[in-house]
Amino acid sequence: MSCPHTSGIVGLLHSLYPDWSPAAIRSAIMTTASITDNQGKKILNSSFVTATPFSYGSGHVNPNAAADPGLIYDLTTTDYLNFLCSLGYNSSQLASFEAGYRCPSKPQDIKDFNYPSFTIYQLKQSVTISRTVKNVGPAGTYTATVEEPSGIRVKVEPDSLKFGVGEEKKFMVTFHVDTPSSDYVFGSITWSDGTRHVRSPVAVLTS
């Protein structure tokens, strides 16, 4: 039932915000989802063991919260095409999607793709990645809270962002390995203005 429920929420958000991109709608749904069940307990997998984001994604969707997400991680068609260039596609292959499109002379790092989650694999020491968030709510100040994955140090810079209406701001996240792990470890980064909570899941593999 996940697909029809989510499709209905997409339709709801599109009717509320017809100018939002598909990426903006996805971001609103993902970043406002809950990682607890309807009893306020941790979500379990089919084996009744505490689930991870690889089981529930961003969590259980919340249409009311998604209608007022505060911040969104947006993407344009060109962002997607640049991402495909980074994966090895060339300008000729991608020109059919956007006339005259050319791959950047310097491919972007795929870790900087402006997706509302963070996945780092084969992390050896440290890496810094960037994200851009857009304020779709009232003017305000958002502060970052980090739930660090086990054995990973996470630093958000800046950790406070002051927004005007419709303003975009960029921030950097540095992941540093303190204790390597043989499997993925999970955490989150949440921006909040005290009313809205914009949560992004984090998954890190160090081996």
Side-chain angles (χ1 to χ4, degrees), residues 65-83:
D68 184 23
L71 305 178
I72 57 168
Y73 295 78
D74 207 357
L75 289 163
T76 65
T77 301
T78 301
D79 291 323
Y80 283 103
L81 294 176
N82 291 344
F83 174 75

Side-chain angles (χ1 to χ4, degrees), residues 56-190:
Y56 56 68
S58 289
H60 188 75
V61 294
N62 182 337
N64 290 335
D68 184 23
L71 305 178
I72 57 168
Y73 295 78
D74 207 357
L75 289 163
T76 65
T77 301
T78 301
D79 291 323
Y80 283 103
L81 294 176
N82 291 344
F83 174 75
L84 292 173
C85 288
S86 299
L87 294 179
Y89 291 88
N90 59 48
S91 300
S92 298
Q93 293 171 310
L94 300 175
S96 59
F97 296 101
E98 186 175 282
Y101 173 79
R102 303 292 299 174
C103 285
S105 56
K106 181 182 178 181
Q108 72 173 34
D109 190 326
I110 60 173
K111 293 187 293 296
D112 291 331
F113 188 61
N114 205 43
Y115 198 75
S117 66
F118 300 82
T119 302
I120 310 296
Y121 62 94
Q122 296 180 341
L123 179 61
K124 301 301 181 185
Q125 294 181 332
S126 66
V127 66
T128 299
I129 63 179
S130 67
R131 289 290 189 274
T132 299
V133 283
K134 180 179 181 179
N135 180 28
V136 293
T141 300
Y142 283 78
T143 302
T145 301
V146 177
E147 179 190 350
E148 294 182 326
S150 177
I152 305 297
R153 212 169 343 129
V154 182
K155 185 176 184 179
V156 179
E157 296 180 292
D159 61 1
S160 180
L161 297 171
K162 185 176 181 180
F163 290 92
V165 176
E167 192 172 8
E168 290 186 337
K169 292 288 179 74
K170 183 177 181 178
F171 65 94
M172 312 296 288
V173 184
T174 299
F175 299 88
H176 181 84
V177 179
D178 283 339
T179 306
S181 174
S182 60
D183 202 355
Y184 274 95
V185 287
F186 304 96
S188 65
I189 296 172
T190 303

